[in-house]
Amino acid sequence: MKKTACLFLTVLMVISFLFPASAAGNALQNKFLRQFRVGNGLTGSLVIHGNADPEFCPFLSSVQNAEYSILCFQSEESTQYCIYQPGDSDQTVIIADYCILNGQKYLRSSFTEKEFYHFPDDNHIISLLLGTAEGVNPPVTADILKMIFSEEKDPEISFSTETLEKLIEMWVAGYKPETTIQKEENADPTMTQVFTIPVEDMYQTVIAFLDVVTQNEAAMNYLRNALTEEQVAAYFNPNLRYYYLDAMKKLDLKGSIVFSRTVSTMGKLLNNSLTLPLNTAETGFSSVTLQNDELRKSVLISGPEKVFLIDLPVSLDIHEVEYEHTIHFVHYDKNSESRNNVSLNIDLKKKHEEYNDPDEGISHETDHYKIAIRKDISFIPDTVPADAIADMDSAEGSVDIHYASKMQLSSPTVLEFSCAFAQGSKSFDVAGKITTTSPDKTKSTAPWAFVPCDTDNAIMTNAFTKQDFTDLFDKWTDRIKTEITHTPEEIRQTGAAE
């Protein structure tokens, strides 16, 4: 249980200070990113202290109580983030050298024989996490999830789903719903309709939807913007309709499609959900349910022995200047260790402040993040036994990200960060400082011979299993713990922006 909460905290920490995202209203953050994107490098350092348990959080246990240097190299083709401990060219320990080249991600380390590993795309990673099989066609799982949850719209693509929605309504209207009226005290009556449709009836309708989509140029532009050419050619090709029909029949899906909607007396849609059957033998799950109302949206993937649920606010946008959000997360596997079965309530808060120092001529911006994670079984699906969710200590964390720079556009921008997290008796804190600087200065700062990302000899991981990645990660963390230089507790990262 601690392991899962620890993972959430670690991910938040890494994303917060190594990969800041542009946000509206954050002028200095935008300046920092703009300077970086136009060819500047980054240089800095960080210190990590803590007492994380190696059994429940091996990564933090390995890297804690140590000081690190940070460099980022920029070129026209690639960006490389390096975290290392200084030394001469033979003694420098490269903890991680993360490279992005033409959208592809690579990673090497002194603890993995210094070879670059070519990481698979998001679809493969999500498939491994969900335990699903993607087959031989280009995977699309991650892209579908992004399309479902993304609120961002391309202003140049005026795609409307009205035609599809009307087609779906006409199709669903052909089935008799089970209708119930809810009358609660001090509340307006509502009507819920539940349509149960045999899955075999869906096949011809999907083909009809395909014809509507492929004949709608705006719809195809939307898909081309969201998916790769290979994915569009494989899944939205009108010449393959007979192949699609045959493939759907071979899925051997069991069960029915269930569409539910609740409306007010005035006809306002209050809630809707769609449940689709899945092939249990192939995926380990028997159904996926997409649900949303005025405030929240969720995806529930469930099976006879496994359940995955994520429930988010409709208004969730982590790039907002300030926010307060709650996320619900459930992972249950009957055959997994009990500590890995979690039902979490995750509270996220962000506050923003900015001010100018006229004496020094420096502008400042600070974002304050807080996260609280606790066990909460109030929203677990009925198929998950409450006693299968192990007890856990609540976890809390905070992240402060401070930007400072003089008014001139060419003045370097300083990013200072501090993080503190605690769960039960375990805790850790991180503090560091990164500054934008010229590429020449960045490379001259490196105490080793700079090695560009080598794509020709990179080790491909697109066929790696979940266990392969686990073994590689375990090897990496075990060697970090014993082969890096650890620092005394009293050494802390300090210093104000200049």
Side-chain angles (χ1 to χ4, degrees):
M1 194 63 55
K2 293 179 181 178
K3 183 177 181 180
T4 301
C6 187
L7 176 61
F8 271 100
L9 297 175
T10 304
V11 170
L12 178 68
M13 175 189 73
V14 172
I15 291 176
S16 296
F17 66 80
L18 285 185
F19 303 100
S22 179
N26 290 45
L28 291 181
Q29 184 185 78
N30 292 335
K31 180 181 179 181
F32 179 91
L33 294 174
R34 186 168 56 249
Q35 289 179 333
F36 177 51
R37 288 166 181 161
V38 298
N40 287 289
L42 301 176
T43 181
S45 62
L46 65 93
V47 175
I48 303 176
H49 285 110
N51 64 345
D53 192 315
E55 179 182 0
F56 293 103
C57 205
F59 171 69
L60 286 177
S61 174
S62 295
V63 301
Q64 65 192 5
N65 304 319
E67 185 173 10
Y68 305 93
S69 294
I70 301 171
L71 283 179
C72 180
F73 302 98
Q74 279 271 40
S75 70
E76 293 182 359
E77 297 182 345
S78 67
T79 302
Q80 285 185 245
Y81 300 86
C82 299
I83 300 178
Y84 66 98
Q85 288 195 320
D88 58 34
S89 59
D90 295 325
Q91 295 178 335
T92 294
V93 178
I94 299 176
I95 311 301
D97 184 2
Y98 176 69
C99 173
I100 304 174
L101 177 62
N102 297 324
Q104 301 298 305
K105 304 176 182 68
Y106 303 84
L107 183 70
R108 73 181 180 103
S109 170
S110 295
F111 307 129
T112 56
E113 284 67 51
K114 299 186 179 180
E115 298 288 350
F116 274 106
Y117 284 82
H118 182 187
F119 274 69
D121 60 22
D122 296 342
N123 277 294
H124 185 74
I125 295 174
I126 289 178
S127 297
L128 289 177
L129 293 175
L130 296 181
T132 59
E134 288 288 0
V136 297
N137 286 317
V140 74
T141 309
D143 299 284
I144 291 177
L145 291 176
K146 291 175 185 176
M147 293 168 68
I148 291 172
F149 287 109
S150 175
E151 300 296 331
E152 297 181 4
K153 305 297 180 183
D154 189 331
E156 297 183 0
I157 299 178
S158 57
F159 169 53
S160 173
T161 59
E162 183 177 354
T163 302
L164 284 177
E165 290 170 358
K166 288 182 178 179
L167 187 60
I168 292 173
E169 288 178 4
M170 292 175 59
W171 177 58
V172 172
Y175 298 86
K176 184 177 180 180
E178 179 180 336
T179 303
T180 58
I181 305 294
Q182 294 84 34
K183 295 182 180 180
E184 298 182 6
E185 187 177 353
N186 301 323
D188 294 332
T190 60
M191 180 180 69
T192 298
Q193 292 181 306
V194 179
F195 297 83
T196 302
I197 303 169
V199 69
E200 294 82 5
D201 293 5
M202 175 186 69
Y203 301 151
Q204 290 294 342
T205 305
V206 169
I207 300 302
F209 289 170
L210 173 69
D211 290 336
V212 171
V213 170
T214 55
Q215 293 172 18
N216 186 314
E217 189 60 28
M220 292 306 297
N221 286 338
Y222 175 79
L223 291 171
R224 295 186 190 105
N225 186 62
L227 306 175
T228 66
E229 292 183 11
E230 187 183 14
Q231 289 171 330
V232 173
Y235 298 107
F236 296 92
N237 187 336
N239 297 321
L240 297 178
R241 55 172 61 89
Y242 292 109
Y243 166 77
Y244 297 147
L245 184 60
D246 183 62
M248 285 187 288
K249 290 179 179 179
K250 289 181 178 179
L251 288 176
D252 192 28
L253 300 178
K254 306 297 183 183
S256 301
I257 299 168
V258 180
F259 175 70
S260 172
R261 64 185 178 192
T262 300
V263 298
S264 68
T265 53
M266 302 299 293
K268 181 181 180 181
L269 183 64
L270 302 177
N271 178 285
N272 62 33
S273 69
L274 175 65
T275 298
L276 301 172
L278 297 175
N279 186 312
T280 306
E282 289 285 338
T283 67
F285 297 98
S286 56
S287 67
V288 55
T289 298
L290 311 176
Q291 182 170 327
N292 70 277
D293 56 28
E294 294 179 292
L295 300 177
R296 303 190 68 82
K297 54 188 177 182
S298 66
V299 173
L300 169 63
I301 310 176
S302 59
E305 296 183 339
K306 298 193 293 185
V307 169
F308 175 89
L309 167 69
I310 184 166
D311 178 84
L312 308 166
V314 171
S315 59
L316 177 63
D317 181 359
I318 62 173
H319 300 152
E320 284 183 309
V321 177
E322 295 188 338
Y323 56 74
E324 290 189 21
H325 292 303
T326 298
I327 298 173
H328 300 147
F329 176 81
V330 176
H331 175 267
Y332 167 73
D333 187 337
K334 182 179 179 181
N335 299 316
S336 177
E337 294 182 46
S338 60
R339 70 185 188 191
N340 294 327
N341 295 327
V342 299
S343 181
L344 304 177
N345 184 95
I346 306 168
D347 290 323
L348 299 173
K349 295 181 181 180
K350 177 186 176 183
K351 295 293 184 182
H352 177 77
E353 63 176 338
E354 53 188 75
Y355 63 93
N356 295 320
D357 184 343
D359 294 333
E360 298 291 336
I362 297 177
S363 298
H364 299 264
E365 290 180 359
T366 304
D367 287 322
H368 305 276
Y369 296 86
K370 286 190 176 182
I371 182 171
I373 304 174
R374 59 183 174 84
K375 174 186 175 181
D376 185 352
I377 61 173
S378 63
F379 51 84
I380 59 174
D382 295 337
T383 55
V384 177
D387 58 2
I389 305 299
D391 290 333
M392 64 168 283
D393 293 324
S394 297
E396 294 184 348
S398 63
V399 177
D400 287 339
I401 302 177
H402 172 224
Y403 294 90
S405 181
K406 293 184 177 180
M407 300 299 294
Q408 293 85 349
L409 293 177
S410 59
S411 296
T413 305
V414 177
L415 164 59
E416 293 179 296
F417 51 86
S418 61
C419 316
F421 297 103
Q423 183 179 24
S425 61
K426 304 301 179 182
S427 65
F428 71 92
D429 61 82
V430 182
K433 180 178 178 179
I434 300 174
T435 305
T436 57
T437 186
S438 68
D440 291 338
K441 186 175 181 180
T442 303
K443 290 188 178 182
S444 65
T445 305
W448 75 94
F450 172 60
V451 179
C453 188
D454 187 351
T455 60
D456 294 334
N457 299 316
I459 298 173
M460 304 300 293
T461 61
N462 55 348
F464 273 31
T465 65
K466 187 176 181 179
Q467 188 60 48
D468 290 331
F469 281 113
T470 299
D471 292 342
L472 181 61
F473 181 76
D474 289 344
K475 173 183 176 182
W476 183 57
T477 53
D478 287 345
R479 292 190 61 183
I480 286 177
K481 187 171 185 178
T482 57
E483 297 186 30
I484 66 172
T485 301
H486 293 274
T487 56
E489 172 67 20
E490 61 269 16
I491 297 179
R492 299 281 174 173
Q493 177 68 255
T494 60
E498 298 179 356

